[in-house]
Amino acid sequence: MSEAVRDRLWIGNEWVDAASGERFEVTNPATEETLARVACGGEEDVDRAVQSASTALASKEWKRLSPHDRSRLLWRLGDLVEEHADELGELETRNNGKPYFESRAVDMPFVAESFRYFAGLADKIQGATIPVSGPFLNYTLREPVGVVGCIVPWNFPLSITSWKVAPALACGNTVVLKPAEQTPLTALRLGELAAEAGFPPGVLNVVSGFGKEAGSALVRHPKVALIAFTGSTETGKIVMREAAETVKKVSLELGGKSPNVIFEDADLGAAVRGASTGIFYGKGEVCAAGSRVLVQRSVYEEVLEAFTERSKKMAIGDPMDKKTRIGAIVSKAQLERVLRYVEIGRTEGARLVTGGEAKKVDGKGNFLEATIFADVEPDMQIAQEEIFGPVAAVIPFDDLEDGIEKANRTIYGLAAGLWTRDVGKAHRFASEIQAGTVWINTYNQYDAASPFGGYKQSGFGRDLGYEAALEKYTQTKSVWVALD
Ligand code: NDP
């Protein structure tokens, strides 16, 4: 994508100007330099994109495309993402601030994999024949829901985009994508790559802009049938309310305050490594971050010491440097928000054992040291609210019952980790924890084939996995035929 076109919207396989002509700056959080001036899409632009998606939905080129060919297009897009992984990875890192090794070695392969996994679904979507009473043939058709509005956040810009766009297209829908205002660049580039892969005009449209304008216009648009949203619980509630006006289907993947629970009989070395990646991977800007580290009291001091030592060694620096483990916080506003929580933690009486200070690298950037609060009470604000930064709250617990109770003491339920060598304990915990994903003796595992999403106020609906995709991105039609 040339610099020249980053300031436009991707609609109908063309770069078009925003109706208002307005643009906003996108910055590199590690250098605070302007990366691009991006088109500011508003209501009129969203309407144009939805009309384009709506026309494509009914078009011969898309509606009549054979499932095999749809599959081929998705596979081709996966290949193109792979071919451009260096470029996309670098763009993601410069835009989001995450270490290049994360975007290049983890995010981009996952994006390619998502397109390929759902390419495999495109030609396996089928209904059933139902044995009904009477002289009738009854069968079901699995049909696309229509125009899908995908609204994604800034923490895994292209990964989360692919989790929604790939299954939506596999099921024959068309898409209008609204990336986060901080990180629209890889999404815009994806639009271009989709056209190169051969997707017809209007099948994938990308409207950069602000949530309150472009995002809300998409949610309210009467021709959008489904909103697939990932973001904060607060915004998720607004989306749900606004979607109600036009009775849209909604899926919400929202915030978390996930527990990572270390029992005394665990392999403590592995558990400490897991606690560290659980919260510091992705700078802690991860919806499933293990931000509450619960440690059984008998091994509490030992685990805390090892966790602290390990955290002090997390290299902060230029995200493009291979040695960097903690990159730049996505924006100045987010850094300030995280620092406010550090202050709250101090005032609440939690013990700050390491970190807590903002840093500059070569005099620039929004960096924050790996931060650990110990002796955190489960009801403190830093143990209850999503901080979305590299800040761990370490909480002691007594036994299995107490561990489960404390782990569940939150409005969220996105994910949970636990560390034990006792198989019975592990499965008991897995069945009693209120979370959409449970990691036993590991953390942060994802696969395009495994469903991901929340319990409680972490939302509903699942990304990934074929069953969830069918449930979300298709609707069932029941057809009756009189046989007499
Ligand atoms: P938001 O939930 O506000 O943003 C997520 C997406 O929703 C963005 O594309 C955003 O656009 C859009 N959006 C915002 N308002 C509306 C609206 N009224 N209607 C439709 N779409 C809207 O997250 P923030 O970026 O404001 O981050 C704030 C906090 O949210 C973080 O500190 C973190 O705690 C949490 N969060 C959780 C995420 C998760 O993965 N669960 C991801 C991101 C944030 P725009 O970018 O223009 O605001």
PDB file of all heavy atoms in Angstrom, residues 155 164 229-237 239-240 250-257 286-288 386 388 412-414 452-461 463:
ATOM      1  N   ASN A 155      -5.591  -4.045  19.930  1.00  0.00           N
ATOM      2  CA  ASN A 155      -4.522  -4.864  20.542  1.00  0.00           C
ATOM      3  C   ASN A 155      -3.992  -5.964  19.620  1.00  0.00           C
ATOM      4  O   ASN A 155      -2.801  -6.253  19.618  1.00  0.00           O
ATOM      5  CB  ASN A 155      -4.984  -5.429  21.892  1.00  0.00           C
ATOM      6  CG  ASN A 155      -6.296  -6.157  21.824  1.00  0.00           C
ATOM      7  OD1 ASN A 155      -7.030  -6.045  20.853  1.00  0.00           O
ATOM      8  ND2 ASN A 155      -6.596  -6.921  22.857  1.00  0.00           N
ATOM      9  N   LYS A 164     -12.871 -12.694  12.426  1.00  0.00           N
ATOM     10  CA  LYS A 164     -14.260 -12.361  12.072  1.00  0.00           C
ATOM     11  C   LYS A 164     -14.476 -12.389  10.562  1.00  0.00           C
ATOM     12  O   LYS A 164     -15.457 -12.949  10.081  1.00  0.00           O
ATOM     13  CB  LYS A 164     -14.608 -10.978  12.629  1.00  0.00           C
ATOM     14  CG  LYS A 164     -14.472 -10.918  14.152  1.00  0.00           C
ATOM     15  CD  LYS A 164     -14.895  -9.588  14.694  1.00  0.00           C
ATOM     16  CE  LYS A 164     -14.564  -9.417  16.170  1.00  0.00           C
ATOM     17  NZ  LYS A 164     -15.012 -10.492  17.049  1.00  0.00           N
ATOM     18  N   PHE A 229     -18.346  -7.922  17.298  1.00  0.00           N
ATOM     19  CA  PHE A 229     -17.594  -6.873  18.004  1.00  0.00           C
ATOM     20  C   PHE A 229     -16.571  -7.473  18.962  1.00  0.00           C
ATOM     21  O   PHE A 229     -16.862  -8.425  19.679  1.00  0.00           O
ATOM     22  CB  PHE A 229     -18.586  -5.998  18.798  1.00  0.00           C
ATOM     23  CG  PHE A 229     -17.929  -4.963  19.679  1.00  0.00           C
ATOM     24  CD1 PHE A 229     -17.577  -3.724  19.160  1.00  0.00           C
ATOM     25  CD2 PHE A 229     -17.663  -5.231  21.024  1.00  0.00           C
ATOM     26  CE1 PHE A 229     -16.966  -2.764  19.976  1.00  0.00           C
ATOM     27  CE2 PHE A 229     -17.054  -4.284  21.839  1.00  0.00           C
ATOM     28  CZ  PHE A 229     -16.715  -3.037  21.307  1.00  0.00           C
ATOM     29  N   THR A 230     -15.382  -6.886  19.003  1.00  0.00           N
ATOM     30  CA  THR A 230     -14.423  -7.152  20.084  1.00  0.00           C
ATOM     31  C   THR A 230     -13.957  -5.809  20.626  1.00  0.00           C
ATOM     32  O   THR A 230     -13.597  -4.914  19.856  1.00  0.00           O
ATOM     33  CB  THR A 230     -13.201  -7.954  19.598  1.00  0.00           C
ATOM     34  OG1 THR A 230     -13.631  -9.236  19.145  1.00  0.00           O
ATOM     35  CG2 THR A 230     -12.200  -8.176  20.738  1.00  0.00           C
ATOM     36  N   GLY A 231     -13.973  -5.674  21.939  1.00  0.00           N
ATOM     37  CA  GLY A 231     -13.548  -4.417  22.557  1.00  0.00           C
ATOM     38  C   GLY A 231     -13.904  -4.424  24.032  1.00  0.00           C
ATOM     39  O   GLY A 231     -14.055  -5.483  24.643  1.00  0.00           O
ATOM     40  N   SER A 232     -14.088  -3.242  24.590  1.00  0.00           N
ATOM     41  CA  SER A 232     -14.338  -3.147  26.029  1.00  0.00           C
ATOM     42  C   SER A 232     -15.790  -3.515  26.364  1.00  0.00           C
ATOM     43  O   SER A 232     -16.683  -3.374  25.524  1.00  0.00           O
ATOM     44  CB  SER A 232     -14.058  -1.722  26.499  1.00  0.00           C
ATOM     45  OG  SER A 232     -14.939  -0.830  25.861  1.00  0.00           O
ATOM     46  N   THR A 233     -15.997  -3.926  27.586  1.00  0.00           N
ATOM     47  CA  THR A 233     -17.347  -4.264  28.045  1.00  0.00           C
ATOM     48  C   THR A 233     -18.241  -3.026  27.979  1.00  0.00           C
ATOM     49  O   THR A 233     -19.410  -3.104  27.590  1.00  0.00           O
ATOM     50  CB  THR A 233     -17.282  -4.855  29.463  1.00  0.00           C
ATOM     51  OG1 THR A 233     -16.561  -6.088  29.374  1.00  0.00           O
ATOM     52  CG2 THR A 233     -18.657  -5.132  30.046  1.00  0.00           C
ATOM     53  N   GLU A 234     -17.666  -1.875  28.327  1.00  0.00           N
ATOM     54  CA  GLU A 234     -18.425  -0.617  28.311  1.00  0.00           C
ATOM     55  C   GLU A 234     -18.977  -0.334  26.908  1.00  0.00           C
ATOM     56  O   GLU A 234     -20.174  -0.057  26.738  1.00  0.00           O
ATOM     57  CB  GLU A 234     -17.439   0.488  28.701  1.00  0.00           C
ATOM     58  CG  GLU A 234     -18.050   1.670  29.343  1.00  0.00           C
ATOM     59  CD  GLU A 234     -16.964   2.704  29.632  1.00  0.00           C
ATOM     60  OE1 GLU A 234     -15.778   2.354  29.738  1.00  0.00           O
ATOM     61  OE2 GLU A 234     -17.332   3.879  29.711  1.00  0.00           O
ATOM     62  N   THR A 235     -18.113  -0.421  25.897  1.00  0.00           N
ATOM     63  CA  THR A 235     -18.573  -0.167  24.525  1.00  0.00           C
ATOM     64  C   THR A 235     -19.497  -1.284  24.057  1.00  0.00           C
ATOM     65  O   THR A 235     -20.473  -1.032  23.338  1.00  0.00           O
ATOM     66  CB  THR A 235     -17.366   0.002  23.569  1.00  0.00           C
ATOM     67  OG1 THR A 235     -16.541   1.050  24.081  1.00  0.00           O
ATOM     68  CG2 THR A 235     -17.803   0.366  22.169  1.00  0.00           C
ATOM     69  N   GLY A 236     -19.214  -2.516  24.493  1.00  0.00           N
ATOM     70  CA  GLY A 236     -20.068  -3.646  24.125  1.00  0.00           C
ATOM     71  C   GLY A 236     -21.517  -3.415  24.531  1.00  0.00           C
ATOM     72  O   GLY A 236     -22.452  -3.757  23.797  1.00  0.00           O
ATOM     73  N   LYS A 237     -21.710  -2.800  25.707  1.00  0.00           N
ATOM     74  CA  LYS A 237     -23.080  -2.530  26.179  1.00  0.00           C
ATOM     75  C   LYS A 237     -23.766  -1.526  25.257  1.00  0.00           C
ATOM     76  O   LYS A 237     -24.953  -1.658  24.949  1.00  0.00           O
ATOM     77  CB  LYS A 237     -23.051  -1.970  27.607  1.00  0.00           C
ATOM     78  CG  LYS A 237     -22.657  -3.005  28.647  1.00  0.00           C
ATOM     79  CD  LYS A 237     -22.604  -2.364  30.020  1.00  0.00           C
ATOM     80  CE  LYS A 237     -21.998  -3.298  31.037  1.00  0.00           C
ATOM     81  NZ  LYS A 237     -21.724  -2.636  32.311  1.00  0.00           N
ATOM     82  N   VAL A 239     -23.066  -1.028  22.086  1.00  0.00           N
ATOM     83  CA  VAL A 239     -23.316  -1.726  20.817  1.00  0.00           C
ATOM     84  C   VAL A 239     -24.600  -2.551  20.928  1.00  0.00           C
ATOM     85  O   VAL A 239     -25.464  -2.526  20.048  1.00  0.00           O
ATOM     86  CB  VAL A 239     -22.102  -2.612  20.444  1.00  0.00           C
ATOM     87  CG1 VAL A 239     -22.449  -3.585  19.328  1.00  0.00           C
ATOM     88  CG2 VAL A 239     -20.912  -1.738  20.048  1.00  0.00           C
ATOM     89  N   MET A 240     -24.724  -3.269  22.052  1.00  0.00           N
ATOM     90  CA  MET A 240     -25.903  -4.123  22.238  1.00  0.00           C
ATOM     91  C   MET A 240     -27.185  -3.289  22.255  1.00  0.00           C
ATOM     92  O   MET A 240     -28.188  -3.651  21.631  1.00  0.00           O
ATOM     93  CB  MET A 240     -25.736  -4.862  23.563  1.00  0.00           C
ATOM     94  CG  MET A 240     -26.453  -6.159  23.626  1.00  0.00           C
ATOM     95  SD  MET A 240     -25.936  -7.016  25.110  1.00  0.00           S
ATOM     96  CE  MET A 240     -27.318  -8.103  25.286  1.00  0.00           C
ATOM     97  N   VAL A 250     -25.931  -9.968  17.396  1.00  0.00           N
ATOM     98  CA  VAL A 250     -24.720  -9.342  17.937  1.00  0.00           C
ATOM     99  C   VAL A 250     -23.847 -10.419  18.558  1.00  0.00           C
ATOM    100  O   VAL A 250     -24.358 -11.326  19.216  1.00  0.00           O
ATOM    101  CB  VAL A 250     -25.087  -8.329  19.059  1.00  0.00           C
ATOM    102  CG1 VAL A 250     -23.852  -7.728  19.681  1.00  0.00           C
ATOM    103  CG2 VAL A 250     -25.966  -7.222  18.522  1.00  0.00           C
ATOM    104  N   SER A 251     -22.547 -10.342  18.331  1.00  0.00           N
ATOM    105  CA  SER A 251     -21.642 -11.169  19.134  1.00  0.00           C
ATOM    106  C   SER A 251     -20.634 -10.236  19.765  1.00  0.00           C
ATOM    107  O   SER A 251     -20.146  -9.297  19.132  1.00  0.00           O
ATOM    108  CB  SER A 251     -20.965 -12.240  18.276  1.00  0.00           C
ATOM    109  OG  SER A 251     -19.874 -11.696  17.589  1.00  0.00           O
ATOM    110  N   LEU A 252     -20.382 -10.454  21.054  1.00  0.00           N
ATOM    111  CA  LEU A 252     -19.534  -9.536  21.806  1.00  0.00           C
ATOM    112  C   LEU A 252     -18.394 -10.299  22.469  1.00  0.00           C
ATOM    113  O   LEU A 252     -18.635 -11.181  23.286  1.00  0.00           O
ATOM    114  CB  LEU A 252     -20.355  -8.834  22.896  1.00  0.00           C
ATOM    115  CG  LEU A 252     -21.589  -8.027  22.455  1.00  0.00           C
ATOM    116  CD1 LEU A 252     -22.365  -7.534  23.664  1.00  0.00           C
ATOM    117  CD2 LEU A 252     -21.175  -6.842  21.581  1.00  0.00           C
ATOM    118  N   GLU A 253     -17.173  -9.957  22.084  1.00  0.00           N
ATOM    119  CA  GLU A 253     -16.004 -10.502  22.788  1.00  0.00           C
ATOM    120  C   GLU A 253     -15.424  -9.334  23.558  1.00  0.00           C
ATOM    121  O   GLU A 253     -14.867  -8.407  22.965  1.00  0.00           O
ATOM    122  CB  GLU A 253     -15.023 -11.102  21.766  1.00  0.00           C
ATOM    123  CG  GLU A 253     -14.037 -12.059  22.394  1.00  0.00           C
ATOM    124  CD  GLU A 253     -12.739 -11.392  22.743  1.00  0.00           C
ATOM    125  OE1 GLU A 253     -11.874 -11.286  21.881  1.00  0.00           O
ATOM    126  OE2 GLU A 253     -12.608 -10.963  23.921  1.00  0.00           O
ATOM    127  N   LEU A 254     -15.604  -9.358  24.879  1.00  0.00           N
ATOM    128  CA  LEU A 254     -15.343  -8.144  25.666  1.00  0.00           C
ATOM    129  C   LEU A 254     -14.144  -8.296  26.601  1.00  0.00           C
ATOM    130  O   LEU A 254     -13.258  -9.108  26.359  1.00  0.00           O
ATOM    131  CB  LEU A 254     -16.618  -7.765  26.420  1.00  0.00           C
ATOM    132  CG  LEU A 254     -17.867  -7.646  25.529  1.00  0.00           C
ATOM    133  CD1 LEU A 254     -19.107  -7.370  26.346  1.00  0.00           C
ATOM    134  CD2 LEU A 254     -17.673  -6.588  24.458  1.00  0.00           C
ATOM    135  N   GLY A 255     -14.148  -7.522  27.649  1.00  0.00           N
ATOM    136  CA  GLY A 255     -12.980  -7.462  28.531  1.00  0.00           C
ATOM    137  C   GLY A 255     -12.793  -8.697  29.395  1.00  0.00           C
ATOM    138  O   GLY A 255     -13.611  -9.621  29.374  1.00  0.00           O
ATOM    139  N   GLY A 256     -11.719  -8.685  30.147  1.00  0.00           N
ATOM    140  CA  GLY A 256     -11.448  -9.801  31.045  1.00  0.00           C
ATOM    141  C   GLY A 256     -10.603  -9.375  32.223  1.00  0.00           C
ATOM    142  O   GLY A 256     -10.051  -8.256  32.254  1.00  0.00           O
ATOM    143  N   LYS A 257     -10.577 -10.242  33.222  1.00  0.00           N
ATOM    144  CA  LYS A 257      -9.668 -10.051  34.364  1.00  0.00           C
ATOM    145  C   LYS A 257      -9.288 -11.473  34.749  1.00  0.00           C
ATOM    146  O   LYS A 257      -9.661 -11.988  35.812  1.00  0.00           O
ATOM    147  CB  LYS A 257     -10.416  -9.317  35.491  1.00  0.00           C
ATOM    148  CG  LYS A 257      -9.507  -8.761  36.563  1.00  0.00           C
ATOM    149  CD  LYS A 257      -8.709  -7.561  36.105  1.00  0.00           C
ATOM    150  CE  LYS A 257      -7.621  -7.203  37.097  1.00  0.00           C
ATOM    151  NZ  LYS A 257      -6.742  -6.128  36.626  1.00  0.00           N
ATOM    152  N   VAL A 286      -4.085  -7.488  26.327  1.00  0.00           N
ATOM    153  CA  VAL A 286      -4.644  -8.732  25.799  1.00  0.00           C
ATOM    154  C   VAL A 286      -5.923  -8.996  26.586  1.00  0.00           C
ATOM    155  O   VAL A 286      -5.911  -8.984  27.817  1.00  0.00           O
ATOM    156  CB  VAL A 286      -3.649  -9.900  26.002  1.00  0.00           C
ATOM    157  CG1 VAL A 286      -4.229 -11.208  25.491  1.00  0.00           C
ATOM    158  CG2 VAL A 286      -2.316  -9.607  25.333  1.00  0.00           C
ATOM    159  N   CYS A 287      -7.026  -9.239  25.866  1.00  0.00           N
ATOM    160  CA  CYS A 287      -8.295  -9.402  26.588  1.00  0.00           C
ATOM    161  C   CYS A 287      -8.236 -10.579  27.551  1.00  0.00           C
ATOM    162  O   CYS A 287      -8.832 -10.543  28.611  1.00  0.00           O
ATOM    163  CB  CYS A 287      -9.460  -9.531  25.625  1.00  0.00           C
ATOM    164  SG  CYS A 287      -9.118 -10.602  24.237  1.00  0.00           S
ATOM    165  N   ALA A 288      -7.469 -11.624  27.183  1.00  0.00           N
ATOM    166  CA  ALA A 288      -7.383 -12.810  28.043  1.00  0.00           C
ATOM    167  C   ALA A 288      -6.146 -12.784  28.946  1.00  0.00           C
ATOM    168  O   ALA A 288      -5.775 -13.810  29.519  1.00  0.00           O
ATOM    169  CB  ALA A 288      -7.366 -14.065  27.182  1.00  0.00           C
ATOM    170  N   GLU A 386     -10.399  -4.078  34.463  1.00  0.00           N
ATOM    171  CA  GLU A 386      -9.455  -4.402  33.395  1.00  0.00           C
ATOM    172  C   GLU A 386      -8.491  -3.231  33.205  1.00  0.00           C
ATOM    173  O   GLU A 386      -8.893  -2.124  32.859  1.00  0.00           O
ATOM    174  CB  GLU A 386     -10.223  -4.669  32.086  1.00  0.00           C
ATOM    175  CG  GLU A 386      -9.316  -5.136  30.983  1.00  0.00           C
ATOM    176  CD  GLU A 386     -10.076  -5.537  29.717  1.00  0.00           C
ATOM    177  OE1 GLU A 386     -10.941  -4.770  29.274  1.00  0.00           O
ATOM    178  OE2 GLU A 386      -9.781  -6.617  29.188  1.00  0.00           O
ATOM    179  N   PHE A 388      -5.508  -3.494  31.263  1.00  0.00           N
ATOM    180  CA  PHE A 388      -5.050  -3.558  29.875  1.00  0.00           C
ATOM    181  C   PHE A 388      -3.666  -2.948  29.698  1.00  0.00           C
ATOM    182  O   PHE A 388      -3.436  -2.066  28.871  1.00  0.00           O
ATOM    183  CB  PHE A 388      -6.072  -2.876  28.964  1.00  0.00           C
ATOM    184  CG  PHE A 388      -6.458  -3.721  27.793  1.00  0.00           C
ATOM    185  CD1 PHE A 388      -7.031  -4.963  27.976  1.00  0.00           C
ATOM    186  CD2 PHE A 388      -6.246  -3.291  26.486  1.00  0.00           C
ATOM    187  CE1 PHE A 388      -7.397  -5.759  26.899  1.00  0.00           C
ATOM    188  CE2 PHE A 388      -6.607  -4.076  25.393  1.00  0.00           C
ATOM    189  CZ  PHE A 388      -7.181  -5.314  25.605  1.00  0.00           C
ATOM    190  N   TYR A 412     -16.109 -10.680  35.072  1.00  0.00           N
ATOM    191  CA  TYR A 412     -15.652 -11.203  33.776  1.00  0.00           C
ATOM    192  C   TYR A 412     -15.548 -12.723  33.782  1.00  0.00           C
ATOM    193  O   TYR A 412     -15.559 -13.355  34.834  1.00  0.00           O
ATOM    194  CB  TYR A 412     -14.272 -10.614  33.449  1.00  0.00           C
ATOM    195  CG  TYR A 412     -14.293  -9.126  33.280  1.00  0.00           C
ATOM    196  CD1 TYR A 412     -13.663  -8.286  34.209  1.00  0.00           C
ATOM    197  CD2 TYR A 412     -14.930  -8.533  32.195  1.00  0.00           C
ATOM    198  CE1 TYR A 412     -13.669  -6.904  34.052  1.00  0.00           C
ATOM    199  CE2 TYR A 412     -14.947  -7.152  32.034  1.00  0.00           C
ATOM    200  CZ  TYR A 412     -14.312  -6.346  32.962  1.00  0.00           C
ATOM    201  OH  TYR A 412     -14.331  -4.991  32.799  1.00  0.00           O
ATOM    202  N   GLY A 413     -15.369 -13.292  32.597  1.00  0.00           N
ATOM    203  CA  GLY A 413     -15.195 -14.747  32.491  1.00  0.00           C
ATOM    204  C   GLY A 413     -14.631 -15.126  31.133  1.00  0.00           C
ATOM    205  O   GLY A 413     -15.191 -15.975  30.444  1.00  0.00           O
ATOM    206  N   LEU A 414     -13.530 -14.478  30.763  1.00  0.00           N
ATOM    207  CA  LEU A 414     -13.014 -14.761  29.424  1.00  0.00           C
ATOM    208  C   LEU A 414     -12.129 -16.004  29.414  1.00  0.00           C
ATOM    209  O   LEU A 414     -12.323 -16.921  28.636  1.00  0.00           O
ATOM    210  CB  LEU A 414     -12.243 -13.541  28.901  1.00  0.00           C
ATOM    211  CG  LEU A 414     -11.946 -13.549  27.404  1.00  0.00           C
ATOM    212  CD1 LEU A 414     -13.205 -13.763  26.584  1.00  0.00           C
ATOM    213  CD2 LEU A 414     -11.273 -12.248  26.987  1.00  0.00           C
ATOM    214  N   PHE A 452     -13.248 -19.365  20.920  1.00  0.00           N
ATOM    215  CA  PHE A 452     -12.753 -18.413  21.917  1.00  0.00           C
ATOM    216  C   PHE A 452     -13.823 -17.352  22.171  1.00  0.00           C
ATOM    217  O   PHE A 452     -14.353 -16.756  21.236  1.00  0.00           O
ATOM    218  CB  PHE A 452     -11.473 -17.734  21.409  1.00  0.00           C
ATOM    219  CG  PHE A 452     -10.915 -16.738  22.383  1.00  0.00           C
ATOM    220  CD1 PHE A 452     -10.241 -17.171  23.514  1.00  0.00           C
ATOM    221  CD2 PHE A 452     -11.084 -15.381  22.178  1.00  0.00           C
ATOM    222  CE1 PHE A 452      -9.752 -16.253  24.436  1.00  0.00           C
ATOM    223  CE2 PHE A 452     -10.599 -14.463  23.096  1.00  0.00           C
ATOM    224  CZ  PHE A 452      -9.925 -14.896  24.224  1.00  0.00           C
ATOM    225  N   GLY A 453     -14.132 -17.122  23.460  1.00  0.00           N
ATOM    226  CA  GLY A 453     -15.115 -16.091  23.807  1.00  0.00           C
ATOM    227  C   GLY A 453     -15.445 -16.187  25.287  1.00  0.00           C
ATOM    228  O   GLY A 453     -14.870 -17.006  26.008  1.00  0.00           O
ATOM    229  N   GLY A 454     -16.373 -15.328  25.722  1.00  0.00           N
ATOM    230  CA  GLY A 454     -16.515 -15.157  27.161  1.00  0.00           C
ATOM    231  C   GLY A 454     -17.746 -15.743  27.823  1.00  0.00           C
ATOM    232  O   GLY A 454     -18.754 -16.029  27.177  1.00  0.00           O
ATOM    233  N   TYR A 455     -17.619 -15.902  29.140  1.00  0.00           N
ATOM    234  CA  TYR A 455     -18.745 -16.109  30.043  1.00  0.00           C
ATOM    235  C   TYR A 455     -19.017 -14.744  30.683  1.00  0.00           C
ATOM    236  O   TYR A 455     -18.205 -13.837  30.605  1.00  0.00           O
ATOM    237  CB  TYR A 455     -18.377 -17.094  31.163  1.00  0.00           C
ATOM    238  CG  TYR A 455     -18.480 -18.569  30.828  1.00  0.00           C
ATOM    239  CD1 TYR A 455     -18.206 -19.056  29.561  1.00  0.00           C
ATOM    240  CD2 TYR A 455     -18.832 -19.488  31.825  1.00  0.00           C
ATOM    241  CE1 TYR A 455     -18.292 -20.416  29.280  1.00  0.00           C
ATOM    242  CE2 TYR A 455     -18.919 -20.847  31.552  1.00  0.00           C
ATOM    243  CZ  TYR A 455     -18.647 -21.301  30.281  1.00  0.00           C
ATOM    244  OH  TYR A 455     -18.721 -22.645  30.004  1.00  0.00           O
ATOM    245  N   LYS A 456     -20.117 -14.635  31.369  1.00  0.00           N
ATOM    246  CA  LYS A 456     -20.492 -13.442  32.144  1.00  0.00           C
ATOM    247  C   LYS A 456     -20.304 -12.160  31.311  1.00  0.00           C
ATOM    248  O   LYS A 456     -20.614 -12.145  30.115  1.00  0.00           O
ATOM    249  CB  LYS A 456     -19.710 -13.417  33.459  1.00  0.00           C
ATOM    250  CG  LYS A 456     -19.951 -14.694  34.306  1.00  0.00           C
ATOM    251  CD  LYS A 456     -19.526 -14.538  35.746  1.00  0.00           C
ATOM    252  CE  LYS A 456     -18.053 -14.660  35.959  1.00  0.00           C
ATOM    253  NZ  LYS A 456     -17.661 -14.705  37.369  1.00  0.00           N
ATOM    254  N   GLN A 457     -19.744 -11.105  31.928  1.00  0.00           N
ATOM    255  CA  GLN A 457     -19.668  -9.831  31.186  1.00  0.00           C
ATOM    256  C   GLN A 457     -18.478  -9.775  30.217  1.00  0.00           C
ATOM    257  O   GLN A 457     -18.135  -8.711  29.703  1.00  0.00           O
ATOM    258  CB  GLN A 457     -19.674  -8.656  32.153  1.00  0.00           C
ATOM    259  CG  GLN A 457     -21.033  -8.504  32.823  1.00  0.00           C
ATOM    260  CD  GLN A 457     -21.190  -7.194  33.573  1.00  0.00           C
ATOM    261  OE1 GLN A 457     -20.659  -6.153  33.191  1.00  0.00           O
ATOM    262  NE2 GLN A 457     -21.929  -7.239  34.669  1.00  0.00           N
ATOM    263  N   SER A 458     -17.843 -10.908  29.986  1.00  0.00           N
ATOM    264  CA  SER A 458     -16.839 -10.970  28.918  1.00  0.00           C
ATOM    265  C   SER A 458     -17.507 -11.215  27.567  1.00  0.00           C
ATOM    266  O   SER A 458     -16.829 -11.322  26.549  1.00  0.00           O
ATOM    267  CB  SER A 458     -15.804 -12.055  29.201  1.00  0.00           C
ATOM    268  OG  SER A 458     -14.973 -11.667  30.279  1.00  0.00           O
ATOM    269  N   GLY A 459     -18.839 -11.319  27.586  1.00  0.00           N
ATOM    270  CA  GLY A 459     -19.565 -11.344  26.318  1.00  0.00           C
ATOM    271  C   GLY A 459     -20.182 -12.673  25.975  1.00  0.00           C
ATOM    272  O   GLY A 459     -20.249 -13.585  26.792  1.00  0.00           O
ATOM    273  N   PHE A 460     -20.633 -12.753  24.721  1.00  0.00           N
ATOM    274  CA  PHE A 460     -21.260 -13.995  24.247  1.00  0.00           C
ATOM    275  C   PHE A 460     -21.020 -14.127  22.750  1.00  0.00           C
ATOM    276  O   PHE A 460     -20.715 -13.158  22.067  1.00  0.00           O
ATOM    277  CB  PHE A 460     -22.753 -14.014  24.567  1.00  0.00           C
ATOM    278  CG  PHE A 460     -23.486 -12.794  24.102  1.00  0.00           C
ATOM    279  CD1 PHE A 460     -23.920 -12.677  22.792  1.00  0.00           C
ATOM    280  CD2 PHE A 460     -23.715 -11.729  24.978  1.00  0.00           C
ATOM    281  CE1 PHE A 460     -24.588 -11.537  22.356  1.00  0.00           C
ATOM    282  CE2 PHE A 460     -24.375 -10.579  24.545  1.00  0.00           C
ATOM    283  CZ  PHE A 460     -24.806 -10.491  23.226  1.00  0.00           C
ATOM    284  N   GLY A 461     -21.189 -15.367  22.285  1.00  0.00           N
ATOM    285  CA  GLY A 461     -20.809 -15.669  20.904  1.00  0.00           C
ATOM    286  C   GLY A 461     -19.340 -16.059  20.937  1.00  0.00           C
ATOM    287  O   GLY A 461     -18.625 -15.719  21.885  1.00  0.00           O
ATOM    288  N   ASP A 463     -15.587 -16.574  18.703  1.00  0.00           N
ATOM    289  CA  ASP A 463     -14.768 -16.487  17.503  1.00  0.00           C
ATOM    290  C   ASP A 463     -14.080 -17.834  17.348  1.00  0.00           C
ATOM    291  O   ASP A 463     -13.886 -18.557  18.329  1.00  0.00           O
ATOM    292  CB  ASP A 463     -13.700 -15.392  17.665  1.00  0.00           C
ATOM    293  CG  ASP A 463     -14.274 -13.994  17.457  1.00  0.00           C
ATOM    294  OD1 ASP A 463     -15.196 -13.847  16.633  1.00  0.00           O
ATOM    295  OD2 ASP A 463     -13.806 -13.057  18.122  1.00  0.00           O
TER     296      ASP A 463
END
